């Protein structure tokens, strides 16, 4: 598919080749990337080839030309283009920040995500909160981030937030968990002295 995204910096190239007269010389196969001969290894039949480019290609749009000769020496070629994105997306937590102490059991979780290549697929973004149980989240996404709200109150304690994101090239990132603390309970106080109902006497004052 022309200009499609591929997640490998050493992509796989598959093509067919037909010559009904002298036949195809499979030893003459060459792959050119951006006009330069690319190192490759191919498994071939008389009518097809499955090749791997063995040199690492840079990210971004690349042009590809495949050439092969028949046994009479005639040169055939085919060209296409594709885009390389071998890096997974990144997520940044805006609120709550990792390590925060919150006093609400239904915090709104806000975040940004970035991808320098194909872009984050918003339909393949997943967030999960884990504490003593797993909490369901209701999330909305934009082009570069979004927010999630717990669907039920979260029990007090240390909570871990996990993120899974996939870009349009198919690269998946499972982010390291970020943790925060939910504490909605006020401190408990108990006065032990003076005891309830006791009478306190002041020391006499000498005159």
């Amino acid at each position: 598919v022309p200009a499609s995204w591929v997640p490998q910096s050493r992509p796989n190239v598959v093509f067919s080749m037909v010559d009904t007269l002298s036949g195809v010389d499979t030893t003459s196969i060459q792959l050119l990337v951006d006009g330069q001969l690319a190192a490759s290894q191919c498994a071939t039949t008389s009518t097809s080839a499955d090749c791997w480019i063995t040199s690492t290609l840079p990210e971004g749009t690349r042009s590809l030309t495949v050439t092969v000769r028949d046994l009479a020496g005639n040169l055939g070629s085919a060209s296409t283009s594709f885009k390389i994105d071998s890096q997974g997306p990144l997520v940044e937590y805006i609120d709550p920040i990792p390590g925060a102490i919150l006093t609400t059991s239904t915090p709104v979780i806000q975040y940004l995500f970035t991808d320098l290549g194909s872009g984050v697929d918003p339909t393949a973004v997943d967030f999960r909160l884990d504490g003593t149980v797993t909490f369901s989240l209701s999330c909305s996404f934009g082009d570069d981030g979004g927010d999630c709200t717990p669907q039920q109150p979260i029990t007090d304690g240390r909570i871990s937030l996990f993120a899974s994101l996939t870009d349009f090239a198919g690269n998946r990132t499972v982010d390291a968990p970020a943790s925060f603390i939910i504490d909605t309970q006020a401190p408990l106080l108990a006065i032990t002295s003076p005891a309830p109902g006791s009478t306190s006497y002041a020391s006499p004052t000498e005159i």
Side-chain angles (χ1 to χ4, degrees):
V1 179
S4 62
W5 287 102
V6 295
Q8 302 93 6
S9 57
R10 299 182 178 186
N12 178 221
V13 179
V14 180
F15 55 93
S16 61
M17 46 192 179
V18 178
D19 188 278
T20 58
L21 296 177
S22 60
V24 175
D25 179 6
T26 58
T27 65
S28 68
I29 293 173
Q30 290 188 328
L31 276 62
L32 292 88
V33 177
D34 297 336
Q36 302 297 315
L37 182 63
S40 62
Q41 294 180 342
C42 298
T44 62
T45 69
S46 60
T47 59
S48 65
D50 187 343
C51 301
W52 287 96
I53 295 176
T54 56
S55 55
T56 301
L57 302 180
E59 304 280 298
T61 302
R62 309 268 72 85
S63 64
L64 171 69
T65 298
V66 178
T67 66
V68 65
R69 294 183 182 275
D70 62 19
L71 294 174
N74 299 303
L75 181 67
S77 67
S79 297
T80 189
S81 63
F82 57 92
K83 302 174 184 179
I84 293 178
D85 176 8
S86 63
Q87 305 298 317
L90 302 175
V91 62
E92 177 186 1
Y93 300 110
I94 303 301
D95 189 36
I97 60 174
I101 299 176
L102 309 181
T103 57
T104 174
S105 58
T106 54
V108 176
I109 299 163
Q110 296 180 315
Y111 52 87
L112 298 174
F113 45 64
T114 57
D115 187 87
L116 299 179
S118 56
V120 176
D121 181 357
T123 66
V125 177
D126 180 56
F127 286 87
R128 191 178 79 249
L129 284 177
D130 279 347
T132 54
V133 297
T134 297
F135 300 94
S136 299
L137 295 173
S138 175
C139 299
S140 61
F141 308 112
D143 293 335
D144 58 358
D147 56 67
C148 297
T149 304
Q151 292 185 324
Q152 70 274 352
I154 300 174
T155 306
D156 282 18
R158 183 175 295 276
I159 306 298
S160 294
L161 174 63
F162 297 83
S164 172
L165 302 91
T166 304
D167 62 22
F168 285 107
N171 300 298
R172 182 169 178 260
T173 296
V174 178
D175 193 60
S179 64
F180 55 90
I181 294 173
I182 289 182
D183 180 2
T184 63
Q185 304 298 317
L188 298 177
L189 300 177
I191 299 174
T192 57
S193 180
S198 63
T199 301
S200 296
Y201 297 95
S203 299
T205 303
E206 294 184 2
I207 301 177

